[in-house]
Amino acid sequence: MKIATWNVNSLRVRLDQVRDWLAAANPDVLAIQETKLRDEDFPVAALEAIGYRAAFSGQPTYNGVALLSRQPAANVGTQIDGFEDPQKRVLAASFGSLRVINLYVPNGQSVGSDKYRYKLEWLAALELQLARELRAHEHCVVLGDFNIAPEDRDVHDPAAWEGKVLCSAAERAALKRIMALGFCDAYRRFPQAEQTFSWWDYRAGGFRRNRGLRIDLILASEALCPDCRSCYIDTGPRGLERPSDHTPVVADFDF
DNA sequence: ATGGTGGCGCGGCCA
């Protein structure tokens, strides 16, 4: 199973890039975030035309998540149980015995803001949800835009980002608690070049200067970690005309 | 440099 994540920053704008990437990379599952589409506007036919089924949970203008897959999604969930949230940020589904949970973690805006508090509350609720998912499903992949750079080596300029949103101690601690439920970071199971990132700000030539962060993650449950054969970031789409500010991350599992 | 760019949707929010 080849499983990937990509924050597309508007599926309407990026549909051709997504279709091209699916045709070239041929993943079994692609988790996308920031679709920014109402469910009734989701391009089901355009994806079915290239052999992908779609499950989605969207809203106009903001947020929105989807799972594009060769086989149809089963047992689809769109909520963190017990956490009322109108923002569409979670999409869980089963593909055979594999549970896949696609996340668009809140950005948090700035440390100390209302949105930052919402992010930390959301992550605490997510931790409980993932504990439940792990109890029900031994083989879990949790992936998406985490809006957290796990460590300083995931940051182009750790000194400039120290304590800032996406890098703050409280966010990293929340991620560590989630990892401690029993997940590995697929990317860090393998040797990787330094200064490799998955997101670069549109402003000030961020990508050209490789001023990025690794905030798009693929977590595998402990039972699944030994089956992970590779994990890589595909920077190709970030270099296209009119790109998303994120680029795909891919993990290949013997599963 | 408290900026810069991009998406949505048409003013201002969000990232």
Side-chain angles (χ1 to χ4, degrees):
Chain A
M1 289 276 279
K2 190 172 180 181
I3 302 178
T5 179
W6 189 7
N7 179 325
V8 298
N9 186 20
S10 169
L11 184 56
R12 205 187 305 276
V13 172
R14 233 67 67 188
L15 180 59
D16 286 346
Q17 290 184 20
V18 169
R19 283 162 45 100
D20 289 348
W21 190 81
L22 286 170
N26 193 31
D28 295 286
V29 179
L30 172 61
I32 60 178
Q33 305 86 35
E34 286 205 87
T35 56
K36 301 185 176 180
L37 287 175
R38 295 176 177 84
D39 286 348
E40 57 265 39
D41 295 329
F42 200 91
V44 174
L47 292 160
E48 283 190 347
I50 57 165
Y52 280 90
R53 310 288 289 265
F56 39 85
S57 178
Q59 63 185 96
T61 314
Y62 301 118
N63 308 313
V65 283
L67 285 164
L68 312 182
S69 55
R70 289 296 192 189
Q71 61 177 115
N75 191 15
V76 174
T78 62
Q79 294 291 327
I80 297 173
D81 298 325
F83 186 79
E84 288 301 312
D85 190 357
Q87 301 187 28
K88 305 301 189 186
R89 298 181 173 278
V90 178
L91 189 62
S94 296
F95 301 93
S97 61
L98 180 68
R99 188 68 170 164
V100 177
I101 301 160
N102 177 16
L103 303 177
Y104 176 45
V105 176
N107 174 281
Q109 193 172 60
S110 61
V111 172
S113 66
D114 286 347
K115 291 190 177 66
Y116 182 77
R117 280 184 285 278
Y118 161 69
K119 180 179 194 173
L120 295 180
E121 288 166 10
W122 192 96
L123 287 164
L126 175 69
E127 183 187 343
L128 299 175
Q129 180 72 15
L130 293 181
R132 289 189 286 268
E133 291 279 13
L134 271 179
R135 278 195 291 274
H137 310 281
E138 184 181 20
H139 297 101
C140 272
V141 172
V142 181
L143 76 174
D145 179 357
F146 281 70
N147 269 316
I148 302 171
E151 302 176 57
D152 279 354
R153 61 179 166 162
D154 301 309
V155 180
H156 68 89
D157 184 347
W161 280 86
E162 189 181 3
K164 300 270 174 55
V165 75
L166 314 186
C167 298
S168 74
E171 293 164 80
R172 285 177 169 175
L175 178 59
K176 277 200 167 169
R177 284 192 293 273
I178 287 167
M179 304 291 297
L181 293 172
F183 293 103
C184 68
D185 180 343
Y187 190 72
R188 292 302 182 200
R189 285 185 61 80
F190 306 97
Q192 305 288 357
E194 292 183 11
Q195 301 284 113
T196 49
F197 310 118
S198 66
W199 167 85
W200 301 259
D201 200 301
Y202 283 122
R203 297 168 287 192
F207 182 62
R208 180 177 51 79
R209 301 159 67 194
N210 198 30
R211 298 177 65 83
L213 304 178
R214 190 177 70 93
I215 57 177
D216 299 274
L217 309 179
I218 300 177
L219 309 184
S221 62
E222 279 168 357
L224 200 58
C225 288
D227 295 330
C228 187
R229 289 291 163 247
S230 68
C231 185
Y232 65 94
I233 297 170
D234 181 1
T235 55
R238 187 61 178 82
L240 297 174
E241 266 189 62
R242 211 177 178 193
S244 170
D245 46 351
H246 297 250
T247 211
V249 183
V250 185
D252 201 6
F253 294 90
D254 277 345
F255 189 82

